[in-house]
Every structure is written in C-alpha cells, then in structure tokens.
Amino acid sequence: MCIFCKIVKKEIPSNIILEDDAFLAFHDINPKAPIHVLVIPKKHFDSFNEVDSETMKKMSIFMQETAKELHIDKSGYRVITNVGNDGGQEVKHLHFHILGGAKLAWQHLSDANPKEMI
Ligand code: AMP
Ligand code: ZN
C-alpha cells in the first residue's frame, strides 16, 4: 500500500485541514511555502494521467473549499500536480500541492535550456 493510502487509512498520522468521504487535505511534511498543503483523492490513482473527469470535477470543488479553509482564497495561491519522472513526482498517488501564504516566486522549474529542447 502506498504512503498516501496509509494516510487515508490513518495508519500514518497527518495534519488534516479538510476531509470528506472522497478527499483529504493535509499539511505537507516538508513545506516549500508558508502554506503548503496536499489534496488527495481517497481512491488511489497513480497520477493525473489516470484520474477520471468526475473525480477531478469533485476534487476541484474540494480544493476551492480547502483554499477557503486556509484563508488564502482571496490572497491567492498556486495549485501544482507533478506527473512522472520529468514532472518530479515522488509519491505515486495523485496529489495536488496548494501553495500560498506569501507572494510566490515564479521560477522556471527545469535545469534544461528550453532553446536546446526544440
Ligand atoms: P511530489 O514530489 O509531487 O510527489 O510530492 C510529494 C510530497 O509529499 C512532497 O512535497 C513531500 O514533502 C510530501 N510528503 C511525503 N511524505 C509525506 C507525509 N508522510 N506527510 C505529508 N507530506 C508528505
Ligand atoms: Zn495510494
């Protein structure tokens, strides 16, 4: 069983912000912004590649509610999902990062020179 499935089953503790029957929002253990929260579906999908549109529709609403719960809906935030090797995905259970609480830098996230990639 993957680490986030264990968090869903409460076999591993997490700092939960919001939960319903299908989704969970909890604080990232290694925050990269003043507010760094992960939103996951309770059902296991390996990544964004596998998720169905009905789940995404409901998870979008859940993420909006999470941002409100964190009081960052007005100040702003960033939503990221990493997919696969090039995306830098470490945990193979679909999750969305919600980052906020400060003006975020917009760094390009690749070491590669884009001009050499064409
Ligand atoms: P990614 O690189 O997109 O797969 O992101 C995985 C994220 O999960 C990282 O930001 C980790 O800090 C976070 N993470 C890993 N284990 C835990 C855990 N037990 N509780 C909370 N966050 C975790
Ligand atoms: Zn899982």
Side-chain angles (χ1 to χ4, degrees), residues 41-42 53 97:
K42 291 190 171 179
S53 58
H97 299 257

Side-chain angles (χ1 to χ4, degrees), residues 5-6 8-9 17 23 35 39 41 46 57 60 65 74 78 83 85 87 96 101 112:
C5 282
K6 286 182 181 165
V8 168
K9 287 184 178 289
I17 294 132
F23 305 104
I35 293 172
V39 174
D46 284 350
K57 184 177 161 186
S60 296
E65 288 170 354
K74 301 280 192 300
R78 187 170 294 159
V83 181
N85 193 41
F96 286 81

Side-chain angles (χ1 to χ4, degrees), residues 82-97:
N82 296 323
V83 181
N85 193 41
D86 279 3
Q89 184 183 2
E90 286 172 8
V91 178
K92 306 301 191 254
H93 180 128
L94 173 65
H95 54 281
F96 286 81
H97 299 257

Side-chain angles (χ1 to χ4, degrees), residues 4 7 26-30 38 82 88-91 95 97:
F4 286 178
I7 284 177
F26 56 97
H27 287 280
D28 195 292
I29 207 167
N30 181 23
L38 301 175
N82 296 323
Q89 184 183 2
E90 286 172 8
V91 178
H95 54 281
H97 299 257

Side-chain angles (χ1 to χ4, degrees), residues 33-49:
I35 293 172
H36 186 172
V37 165
L38 301 175
V39 174
I40 64 171
K42 291 190 171 179
K43 183 178 171 196
H44 181 100
F45 299 92
D46 284 350
S47 80
F48 185 68
N49 279 338

